[in-house]
Amino acid sequence: MEKQWWHSAVVYQVYPRSFCDSSGDGNGDLLGIISKLDYLQTLGIDLIWLSPVYLSPMKDNGYDIADYQAIDPRFGGLEDMRELIAQAKQRNIGIMMDLVLNHSSDQHEWFKQSRQSRDNPYRDYYIWRDQPSELRSIFGGSAWQYDPQTEQYYCHLFADAQPDLNWENPQVAKEIHQMINWWTEQGVAGFRLDVIDLIGKQIDQGITENGPRLHPLLQQMHQACFKGKALVTVGETWGATPELAKLYSDPARQELSMVFQFEHAAIDWHPQHGKWQPQPFNVVALKQVLSKWQTTFKGDGWNALFWNNHDLPRIVSRWGNDQQYRQRSAKLFATLLHGMQGTPYIYQGEEIAMTNVRFEQLEDYDDIEITNNYQEKVVEQQSLSHQQFMQGVYASGRDNARTPMQWDASANGGFSSGQPWLKINPNYTEINVAAALNEPQSVFYHYQQLIALRKSSEYSDTLIYGSYQLLLPEHPQVFAYLRQYQQQRLLVVANVSELDQRLSFELKAKQVILNNLQQAKGAVQHLSALQLAPYQAIIYELE
Ligand code: NOJ
């Protein structure tokens, strides 16, 4: 397959509101991010995916955009954005902007115009109907909001303050393309496309995901915005199957570089209550799903690899052990992911094994998905009790990922000198960047080593382009796979449990490349009689 620069890239996601506050107003900002670029360079990443920093009423923390070409004053101004792009570039780091194209804020000028009158030139920028359908919003409640001024309903697949753009209207596509090109001119390296699988919707047929117009629209966008430019693009596609993922990311089809698929992220969801009542973690199911994705593409697509983002709970709390084995289990998940084929994404704080949070009061949570779903499931439908719902929030709520970044043990974790917009996780006194940088065996340095391996002359081809083969598919706790490129073979083996394991592989180790336990080299040399401690993970080079 034709090699692309972003095949070897490692991406770091910054959630700006929670990353670093330079002004003391309790919200992270662009100058704060600039002040941490040296830290990110030390980690070794190539790209920053910047969650939205555009002008926004922050109903959904920036995923409700009021102006795509302005920076929200909480974050700074356009000058700061240009400075961030330039300073990052000096460190060989590119910036990926987050494009929220399925909807805007109801404070966007287009929507303000659109709701004025039925014959306003912007009326058809949004989706208006005389009657609501049964369609539900992803944040709970109906997907239709009545607007008394013009006596019609508008469609919102998310909050009512996030009206869906009407991609049936070619004028919408034209304006969006111009906006994307403007950002490219500002020197960004690429884009992440929010819930992009919704833009081809056919609302009257009840089709929202993967609608018939989706791929034509993306091909059109590619022609207008991405073609011939060294940009990387990643789509957020909750409904992607391997076959669908090829439609987006097969280079021959000229749509996107890759997509985030979420099959693994939803393996423990409850059939009825989804993420609000997660089921026990099943290692075999995880292996099956990820291995399917690892073997899907034969030059006709590319994987985006991730455990975390701003919508998901922290991996170390979710499937690892965030108490006794916090560091070791975090390193295990890092090893499993970075050993795979695809472009790895690290979510802020993952590199120091930040954990989920538990606030006693519902009021301490900010996320609109939590508050709206509480209203629907606990108050209106009474399908979950308050206690059940809070358990769901502790396990899966999005604010688990959004508590402020823990930089040091000083007040507010060094995130802000003011009152943070969302409470910090009280464990910041122990879990923070300063502590991680001071400890040679920390999770941070493990991530740094994994990134360095992916870029090393010895192993990069195998890690980036090598084939993948799952071993021990039925083993209930061990996740093991081979990567091979020409004559080189690597074995990644991980004990995803608190039990000791004894394994026997008919393979010969040449050397241990990475081990998340400090051990004498000889201790794990013999693969025919391998003993793994709880959450131990090792990468071998084989004979
Ligand atoms: C997906 C984003 O990741 C999430 O944070 C947001 O709430 C929805 N899209 C709506 O934009």
Side-chain angles (χ1 to χ4, degrees):
M1 84 188 296
E2 201 187 324
K3 293 189 177 178
Q4 302 291 342
W5 66 269
W6 39 264
H7 286 164
S8 60
V10 177
V11 187
Y12 186 93
Q13 184 190 352
V14 167
Y15 195 66
R17 206 170 176 195
S18 303
F19 192 62
C20 180
D21 172 20
S22 74
S23 71
D25 72 350
N27 293 291
D29 49 41
L30 293 174
L31 294 182
I33 301 172
I34 292 173
S35 75
K36 300 298 182 187
L37 286 173
D38 287 340
Y39 166 73
L40 296 178
Q41 190 180 22
T42 305
L43 182 58
I45 55 114
D46 307 275
L47 289 163
I48 293 172
W49 152 22
L50 194 61
S51 277
V53 289
Y54 317 93
L55 186 70
S56 165
M58 297 283 156
K59 290 278 166 51
D60 188 20
N61 267 333
Y63 285 89
D64 46 327
I65 298 175
D67 184 342
Y68 291 90
Q69 287 173 235
I71 302 296
D72 193 274
R74 286 178 192 80
F75 297 129
L78 270 179
E79 277 319 302
D80 300 323
M81 190 63 220
R82 295 201 175 99
E83 185 65 16
L84 172 61
I85 295 169
Q87 292 255 359
K89 205 169 260 172
Q90 279 172 21
R91 294 166 177 82
N92 289 322
I93 296 174
I95 303 288
M96 294 168 77
M97 294 303 276
D98 206 321
L99 293 173
V100 187
L101 308 179
N102 174 68
H103 46 270
S104 73
S105 160
D106 62 356
Q107 299 305 306
H108 196 291
E109 190 52 35
W110 297 339
F111 191 70
K112 288 187 185 166
Q113 292 280 339
S114 184
R115 74 194 318 180
Q116 290 287 319
S117 64
R118 292 192 186 195
D119 57 6
N120 187 285
Y122 288 91
R123 185 68 170 178
D124 286 341
Y125 273 46
Y126 296 87
I127 303 167
W128 294 95
R129 294 289 183 270
D130 288 330
Q131 292 299 325
S133 68
E134 294 295 300
L135 198 64
R136 307 295 292 170
S137 149
I138 293 163
F139 287 163
S142 168
W144 296 95
Q145 178 70 27
Y146 184 68
D147 205 37
Q149 170 123 1
T150 53
E151 299 178 325
Q152 276 191 320
Y153 295 79
Y154 65 84
C155 172
H156 61 91
L157 292 181
F158 294 89
D160 53 7
Q162 291 169 298
D164 277 45
L165 285 161
N166 177 18
W167 280 85
E168 301 273 341
N169 178 354
Q171 196 56 29
V172 167
K174 210 170 141 200
E175 296 240 27
I176 295 281
H177 296 164
Q178 280 170 7
M179 176 276 288
I180 296 175
N181 287 337
W182 182 84
W183 276 108
T184 302
E185 284 160 22
Q186 308 310 306
V188 301
F191 300 98
R192 177 256 187 193
L193 294 88
D194 189 68
V195 290
I196 200 64
D197 52 356
L198 301 180
I199 68 169
K201 64 178 79 71
Q202 301 257 287
I203 218 76
D204 297 324
Q205 279 75 55
I207 301 171
T208 53
E209 249 180 26
N210 298 308
R213 299 203 350 104
L214 172 61
H215 293 285
L217 283 171
L218 282 174
Q219 285 172 356
Q220 204 186 50
M221 189 182 295
H222 185 102
Q223 293 299 320
C225 305
F226 309 143
K227 198 180 173 73
K229 301 176 190 168
L231 293 166
V232 57
T233 50
V234 55
E236 184 200 26
T237 58
W238 277 83
T241 59
E243 289 319 306
L244 290 174
K246 288 178 195 171
L247 298 180
Y248 295 101
S249 66
D250 181 348
R253 292 176 46 85
Q254 309 206 8
E255 294 188 17
L256 301 175
S257 310
M258 61 188 124
V259 291
F260 293 122
Q261 64 81 21
F262 287 86
E263 266 192 280
H264 66 298
I267 49 166
D268 54 1
W269 285 15
H270 188 275
Q272 183 195 348
H273 298 297
K275 67 194 247 177
W276 306 108
Q277 226 173 59
Q279 309 292 288
F281 172 45
N282 179 335
V283 177
V284 174
L286 180 70
K287 292 195 286 188
Q288 273 170 2
V289 168
L290 286 180
S291 301
K292 177 180 76 182
W293 281 92
Q294 283 294 293
T295 49
T296 281
F297 301 122
K298 307 271 182 284
D300 52 357
W302 190 254
N303 274 301
L305 307 169
F306 67 99
W307 297 121
N308 278 114
N309 65 31
H310 62 292
D311 296 329
L312 297 173
R314 297 277 180 184
I315 189 64
V316 69
S317 301
R318 185 179 190 183
W319 292 335
N321 175 327
D322 64 8
Q323 302 293 315
Q324 189 186 351
Y325 298 112
R326 183 181 66 87
Q327 300 227 37
R328 209 193 288 171
S329 64
K331 290 178 189 175
L332 171 142
F333 281 101
T335 306
L336 276 174
L337 193 91
H338 288 252
M340 288 186 182
Q341 187 273 328
T343 298
Y345 289 71
I346 301 167
Y347 178 68
Q348 68 183 41
E350 181 185 332
E351 78 282 13
I352 56 164
M354 276 175 61
T355 68
N356 281 355
V357 76
R358 253 181 115 90
F359 298 134
E360 289 308 317
Q361 306 296 326
L362 184 69
E363 293 70 40
D364 284 334
Y365 290 92
D366 171 89
D367 179 13
I368 189 165
E369 184 184 62
I370 294 177
T371 44
N372 282 12
N373 274 286
Y374 186 88
Q375 186 61 26
E376 179 176 274
K377 296 185 171 40
V378 183
V379 180
E380 287 161 21
Q381 299 170 350
Q382 300 184 357
S383 57
L384 291 175
S385 71
H386 172 83
Q387 278 316 325
Q388 283 173 321
F389 189 80
M390 290 310 281
Q391 292 307 320
V393 169
Y394 297 151
S396 309
R398 303 195 301 179
D399 282 341
N400 284 310
R402 300 175 180 187
T403 58
M405 181 75 182
Q406 298 168 200
W407 293 104
D408 58 41
S410 70
N412 298 326
F415 160 71
S416 171
S417 58
Q419 182 70 27
W421 70 278
L422 179 67
K423 280 190 177 174
I424 193 160
N425 192 322
N427 64 20
Y428 74 87
T429 48
E430 225 181 287
I431 304 172
N432 60 62
V433 168
L437 291 175
N438 269 330
E439 190 196 329
Q441 300 302 324
S442 71
V443 178
F444 177 89
Y445 292 114
H446 193 80
Y447 271 88
Q448 189 188 49
Q449 286 180 61
L450 285 165
I451 296 170
L453 268 184
R454 184 166 278 261
K455 301 189 177 297
S456 67
S457 50
E458 300 102 294
Y459 301 115
S460 65
D461 277 340
T462 308
L463 285 170
I464 298 167
Y465 295 109
S467 64
Y468 172 99
Q469 186 194 345
L470 180 69
L471 304 178
L472 311 176
E474 301 302 331
H475 196 295
Q477 291 105 18
V478 172
F479 197 155
Y481 58 84
L482 288 175
R483 300 292 311 278
Q484 174 156 13
Y485 187 82
Q486 293 172 355
Q487 297 315 309
Q488 189 176 67
R489 282 198 308 166
L490 302 179
L491 167 68
V492 178
V493 56
N495 175 12
V496 197
S497 80
E498 288 161 31
L499 308 171
D500 289 311
Q501 305 288 345
R502 284 164 182 275
L503 300 168
S504 178
F505 291 104
E506 287 179 26
L507 298 167
K508 259 191 115 187
K510 188 165 163 192
Q511 59 171 326
V512 172
I513 306 176
L514 198 63
N515 184 348
N516 69 350
L517 262 195
Q518 267 186 298
Q519 272 179 316
K521 281 234 155 133
V524 284
Q525 201 55 36
H526 296 290
L527 287 169
S528 57
L530 177 63
Q531 297 199 24
L532 291 179
Y535 293 109
Q536 186 167 12
I538 307 176
I539 304 182
Y540 291 92
E541 182 176 359
L542 300 178
E543 287 288 355

